[in-house]
Amino acid sequence: RLLVQSRDGVAAARAYEAGATVLTMGEWSEEMARAVLMPRFLEVEDKSGWNAIWAAVGGHAAHLRQIAELLHKERLDMERERQEQEKEKRRVEMNRQLRPQRSPDAEEFAKIAEQQHEDDSYRSDARGPPAGAAERLLRRLPEAMRDEVGKLEAQAATFARHPQLQPLREAHAARPGMWEAELVG
C-alpha cells in the first residue's frame, strides 16, 4: 500500500505503523522558507537569488535544506578559489622579484600581457563570471540534485506501476499523455 498525504499527520502515522509506504508532500510557505534561508545561508540583498531558488525548489523542506547545505558549500568553494588565486598572484609576484631587472619597456609589456591574460580568463559569454554562491549553485542545480531527482523518478515509477492503477493504465494505453494527465489531475 502507498499513502500520499499532504495535511493529515495522524493518518500518515497510522498508515506508516500499519506498514504502508508514506510519501508526504507538505510544503513551507515562501515567507517561512525565506525567514530560514535568507539570514543564514543567503544574503538578504540577494533578492534575485532567492526568487530563483524559490522558483526552482519551492517550499519542499528537504530540498530547501539541501539548497542551504549546497549554498554553504558553494560559499566555502568560492573562498577557497579566491585564496588559491591570491596565492597564485603572490607566487607570480615572488617569481617576478627573483628575476633579474628588465628594462621599463619590458616590464610594461609584461604587465599588459598579464592584464590581457586575466581579462581572457573570464567566461566568454556576455554575463561574465557568476555573481555569487546562489547563482553558481543555480547554474549547476540539476547536477547538484541528481540523487534527489533520481529518487523522485524511481518513486513516481513505482507509484505508476501500483496494481490499483492497472485499470487506469489500460484505459489510456493508446494515449500515454492522457494517462499522466489523469494521474496528476
Side-chain angles (χ1 to χ4, degrees):
R1 289 179 44 211
L2 176 71
L3 173 67
V4 179
Q5 70 92 25
S6 62
R7 289 195 173 94
D8 191 356
V10 174
R14 286 182 182 151
Y16 181 78
E17 289 300 316
T21 302
V22 178
L23 175 64
T24 60
M25 294 188 177
E27 70 175 33
W28 290 4
S29 68
E30 184 175 358
E31 294 79 24
M32 186 167 108
R34 186 182 313 124
V36 171
L37 247 64
M38 288 293 270
R40 286 184 246 162
F41 301 104
L42 190 63
E43 297 81 17
V44 177
E45 300 81 31
D46 193 3
K47 301 265 189 239
S48 64
W50 166 252
N51 291 337
I53 288 172
W54 182 255
V57 181
H60 191 282
H63 291 162
L64 286 169
R65 187 197 87 241
Q66 183 171 13
I67 290 291
E69 291 170 358
L70 290 170
L71 280 170
H72 177 69
K73 183 180 177 299
E74 198 69 43
R75 243 188 252 106
L76 293 176
D77 289 347
M78 287 174 64
E79 180 61 23
R80 181 183 42 76
E81 289 171 8
R82 187 192 63 76
Q83 289 175 352
E84 287 174 0
Q85 287 175 351
E86 290 295 322
K87 184 178 176 182
E88 180 64 21
K89 283 182 182 179
R90 286 194 305 269
R91 188 186 66 76
V92 167
E93 187 59 37
M94 282 180 44
N95 286 343
R96 184 180 297 129
Q97 291 174 357
L98 294 176
R99 288 187 292 208
Q101 289 289 30
R102 298 190 287 183
S103 70
D105 290 344
E107 284 294 325
E108 185 176 331
F109 181 74
K111 286 181 183 178
I112 291 171
E114 273 182 47
Q115 183 63 38
Q116 286 177 345
H117 175 71
E118 202 171 299
D119 292 343
D120 292 343
S121 296
Y122 287 115
R123 295 170 47 106
S124 61
D125 65 1
R127 291 178 290 186
E135 185 176 342
R136 281 178 51 149
L137 173 61
L138 287 167
R139 287 185 182 192
R140 62 179 195 82
L141 190 61
E143 172 192 325
M145 296 190 75
R146 180 179 41 245
D147 294 340
E148 287 71 20
V149 170
K151 287 177 187 175
L152 178 63
E153 287 175 347
Q155 288 176 346
T158 301
F159 178 74
R161 288 189 306 267
H162 194 277
Q164 295 291 328
L165 296 176
Q166 183 65 27
L168 187 61
R169 275 195 310 270
E170 290 171 358
H172 297 292
R175 302 176 306 176
M178 291 299 293
W179 179 71
E180 282 95 5
E182 185 76 27
L183 185 63
V184 173

